[in-house]
Amino acid sequence: MERHGISVEIKNIPVLDPEFTPILRFNQAFLKTASKPVSIAVERADGQMATTHTYIHGTPEMAEADRYYIDRLVKTELWMKGGFRIYVNDKDVCDYLKSVYRKGGAREFDWDYFANVFEHPFEIIYTDQVPESMDIAKPMGGHLEGCRIGFDAGGSDRKVSAVIDGETVFSEEVVWFPKITADPDYHYDGIVSALKSAAAHMPRVDAVGVSSAGVFINNRTMAASLFLSVPKELYDAKVKDIYIRAIRDTFGDIPYAVYNDGDVSALAGTMSLNDTNVLGIAMGTSEAVGYVNEEGCITGWLNELAFVPVDANPEAMEDEWSGDIGCGVKYFCQDGVIKLAPRAGIELDESLSPAEKLKVVQKLMEEGDRRAAQVYESIGVYLGHTLAYYYEKYGFRYVLLLGRVMSGKGGDLLLETCQKVLNDEYPEAAAGFQLTLPDEKFRRVGQSMAAASLPG
């Protein structure tokens, strides 16, 4: 098939989405004929850099393909690593990026989002000398000595564990409603209540670790769906330091750490596998991702792969939040199932919630319905192509697949199809990493226990 003037060859095509065009296959085809060097660096907190040396065509007839390739590349680096400043050594590329990363531009959402997350205006700078990559990974987790609390803040419930020398002596799960509550004191009181509940089961508290959905920089909550309803002025005043305040107000000056729940899931994976270099992908309400590197460190990268492009089809489904198309959030969570079900001939009652719609398809799958099987097979093809792309970016040794989309017979078929695509189309990637599902040891470790191990 042809995309933006580039001919893309694909062997494995999703039966319910024949126009799906894996971004990796597009990139590979694009680079075969590109010869003009371009370097781009994305700067994030503490002067860290993510630098890419690549090529474009640099000719008028290939301008559309060049712009598309650069747009998707920069988008990927921003949501994988995070950043507020882009350096580029090509004037035309720089001018193009400035035209889209601005108010009213095609990437206004990203421009505004990263400016708020990093509390710095989003900038694009032309320079002859692009800075080289620099990462500062932090060795976090695996510390089980002493009396520790692990707190896991979810959108529908909060979990807390009291852990003494690696043994969970108490755990509690409480239903709460953070996403629809505008008063940040509700969230603060819920966090403190959980911390005190765990503390009551230990002689003292030596450290507290927090796992929460969102973007965290230096333990501060820079963006998080849990606080979706909190007004901006209250968010800045009471939410950005909410976990820090709750811990200090309750226990004083003790070690603590606050990390994205995806990273903590990956950390729990390393603890259960007794190995490192793990990418964790939870396919549930969204695509939540975390990564622990070869050294067993949490990198500080965003890993928000839900907003990383995976499909070069110009008619791909739009994400309502960012306004972009072809990103992981519409492929690797319950939205992906809901998108494909009608194409398979499964009518879903629009009065149902997304989670309830997923259950309808899961029930059909358990009953052996061929239409439901096509849904999971198609997602398995998506995943096979996309994991090869992620592997190129991360170089992981394990992929831990989690979340409600992976449950039951559907998850088994999805995994089987994904492995077939990898073996058939990306044999080097297939040989480089192992797909794995949570085992009993992982379930025993749990998210909140892994969180308890975060502070050193």
Side-chain angles (χ1 to χ4, degrees), residues 13-14 21 75 115 164 166 329-330 392 405 413:
I13 297 172
T21 311
K75 174 100 175 182
I164 301 178
V329 70
K330 288 298 181 184
E392 181 182 85
V405 173
L413 180 58

Side-chain angles (χ1 to χ4, degrees), residues 213-236:
V215 177
F216 301 92
I217 298 175
N218 295 327
N219 300 304
R220 302 183 72 218
T221 310
M222 306 313 295
S225 59
L226 295 179
F227 309 100
L228 202 60
S229 299
V230 178
K232 179 167 174 45
E233 63 275 10
L234 287 177
Y235 189 101
D236 291 344

Side-chain angles (χ1 to χ4, degrees), residues 97-333:
L97 291 173
K98 284 183 176 180
S99 75
V100 294
Y101 283 92
R102 61 177 177 84
K103 187 171 181 60
R107 300 290 160 256
E108 178 181 359
F109 173 86
D110 311 73
W111 168 81
D112 181 63
Y113 181 89
F114 287 106
N116 286 319
V117 163
F118 288 95
E119 298 180 313
H120 192 287
F122 194 93
E123 298 176 306
I124 298 169
I125 296 172
Y126 172 71
T127 177
D128 290 333
Q129 193 66 40
V130 170
E132 289 299 330
S133 290
M134 186 185 78
D135 272 320
I136 306 173
K138 296 182 179 180
M140 280 287 178
H143 307 287
L144 297 173
E145 68 286 348
C147 299
R148 295 169 169 267
I149 292 175
F151 178 67
D152 178 29
S156 57
D157 54 61
R158 60 177 194 256
K159 305 177 186 71
V160 71
S161 294
V163 180
I164 301 178
D165 294 329
E167 293 295 324
T168 302
V169 298
F170 169 80
S171 61
E172 177 183 67
E173 187 171 323
V174 175
V175 174
W176 69 339
F177 306 96
K179 292 185 177 182
I180 60 173
T181 305
D183 182 3
D185 290 339
Y186 168 86
H187 305 80
Y188 175 87
D189 291 343
I191 297 165
V192 170
S193 174
L195 296 178
K196 287 182 175 179
S197 183
H201 293 81
M202 296 188 295
R204 65 185 188 280
V205 176
D206 297 321
V208 176
V210 175
S211 164
S212 177
V215 177
F216 301 92
I217 298 175
N218 295 327
N219 300 304
R220 302 183 72 218
T221 310
M222 306 313 295
S225 59
L226 295 179
F227 309 100
L228 202 60
S229 299
V230 178
K232 179 167 174 45
E233 63 275 10
L234 287 177
Y235 189 101
D236 291 344
K238 291 194 168 187
V239 172
K240 285 190 174 178
D241 293 327
I242 193 167
Y243 292 117
I244 299 170
R245 287 191 297 111
I247 294 166
R248 285 180 173 172
D249 292 352
T250 309
F251 305 118
D253 188 18
I254 64 169
Y256 60 85
V258 185
Y259 274 90
N260 172 269
D261 56 355
D263 281 337
V264 180
S265 288
L267 174 62
T270 68
M271 294 168 71
S272 67
L273 292 164
N274 197 31
D275 205 348
T276 59
N277 208 355
V278 177
L279 186 80
I281 303 176
M283 292 187 270
T285 305
S286 182
E287 180 192 8
V289 177
Y291 177 59
V292 174
N293 70 9
E294 183 70 31
E295 289 72 41
C297 295
I298 291 174
T299 59
W301 300 351
L302 255 62
N303 301 312
E304 291 284 356
L305 301 191
F307 305 106
V308 165
V310 300
D311 185 1
N313 175 12
E315 302 300 321
M317 184 172 280
E318 178 181 302
D319 163 44
E320 302 86 351
W321 191 46
S322 70
D324 204 352
I325 66 169
C327 296
V329 70
K330 288 298 181 184
Y331 297 77
F332 306 117
C333 66

Side-chain angles (χ1 to χ4, degrees), residues 48 164 202 273 377 442 448:
Q48 297 180 76
I164 301 178
M202 296 188 295
L273 292 164
E377 286 172 349
F442 178 90
S448 56

Side-chain angles (χ1 to χ4, degrees), residues 371-382:
R371 299 170 302 167
Q374 288 184 326
V375 171
Y376 285 98
E377 286 172 349
S378 294
I379 297 174
V381 175
Y382 288 155

